[in-house]
Amino acid sequence: MKLKSLEFRGQLQADQGSGSMASFFANPAAGSDWTYVPAIAGLGLLNKDLRMPMAGTFLTADSPSVPKPQDFALLSLKIRAPNLFQDGLLTAEVRGGIDQDFDFLVTDRTQSRTISFMRGPTVHSGAGDHRVIEQIIPRGTPWPKNADVRLMVGLYPFQLQ
């Protein structure tokens, strides 16, 4: 999605943190990605200029209010890319992070693009504190040649080294 503007607001502190007042505002260019426009318009999320202004917060350093999971480990990450005939599947095996929210972040390294999923992943319990997290990617979803896949645990990205 192309942006007309992107603003980050906050004050960088001595510890490289941004404090609790950090925020961003993004204003996508009109019609930059028409894939989801009918659904977004139907939900009333577009303004009169066919734009969907976005706002949120960001972290510049580990935040005490959103601690990085210390007991967490990404054990494996398997990727089956979607094609025209078969759904894709992302599967992560993890240890720890029992009370965390999980999500997958898929980006295209060459085009600075992300792939959005309509629904979040399914978390399956394993033995002890092990979990298996699965994300189905509908067939026909464009998949980048240079995909970079990370597992988001709360606000923090994890990937295999």
Side-chain angles (χ1 to χ4, degrees):
M1 180 177 290
K2 296 177 183 174
L3 298 178
K4 182 178 178 182
S5 65
L6 176 62
E7 297 176 28
F8 290 91
R9 298 179 183 164
Q11 185 173 0
L12 194 59
Q13 300 168 344
D15 66 356
Q16 302 302 306
S18 57
S20 62
M21 300 304 292
S23 63
F24 76 88
F25 178 80
N27 191 6
S32 64
D33 183 355
W34 290 99
T35 308
Y36 301 106
V37 168
I40 293 170
L43 293 171
L45 297 175
L46 295 180
N47 65 18
K48 64 180 175 55
D49 298 320
L50 294 180
R51 291 193 179 105
M52 185 178 66
M54 296 174 267
T57 187
F58 61 92
L59 298 175
T60 55
D62 290 347
S63 169
S65 63
V66 185
K68 189 171 186 176
Q70 298 300 317
D71 65 336
F72 180 80
L74 177 58
L75 304 174
S76 69
L77 179 63
K78 297 177 185 168
I79 302 165
R80 184 180 75 213
N83 59 43
L84 291 176
F85 310 104
Q86 180 179 358
D87 289 342
L89 183 65
L90 301 175
T91 306
E93 183 183 352
V94 303
R95 183 183 68 238
I98 292 171
D99 294 329
Q100 299 292 327
D101 291 323
F102 297 103
D103 207 350
F104 285 97
L105 175 64
V106 179
T107 59
D108 184 333
R109 285 183 236 145
T110 57
Q111 296 182 2
S112 299
R113 222 177 51 133
T114 62
I115 294 177
S116 300
F117 303 113
M118 295 299 282
R119 295 190 183 120
T122 303
V123 179
H124 304 282
S125 294
D129 64 348
H130 281 69
R131 305 272 180 274
V132 174
I133 297 119
E134 294 182 324
Q135 176 72 59
I136 295 172
I137 308 161
R139 65 181 177 185
T141 300
W143 189 259
K145 284 185 180 180
N146 296 308
D148 185 22
V149 179
R150 296 169 192 247
L151 178 66
M152 298 297 296
V153 181
L155 293 176
Y156 295 96
F158 286 84
Q159 70 184 133
L160 291 176
Q161 300 299 331

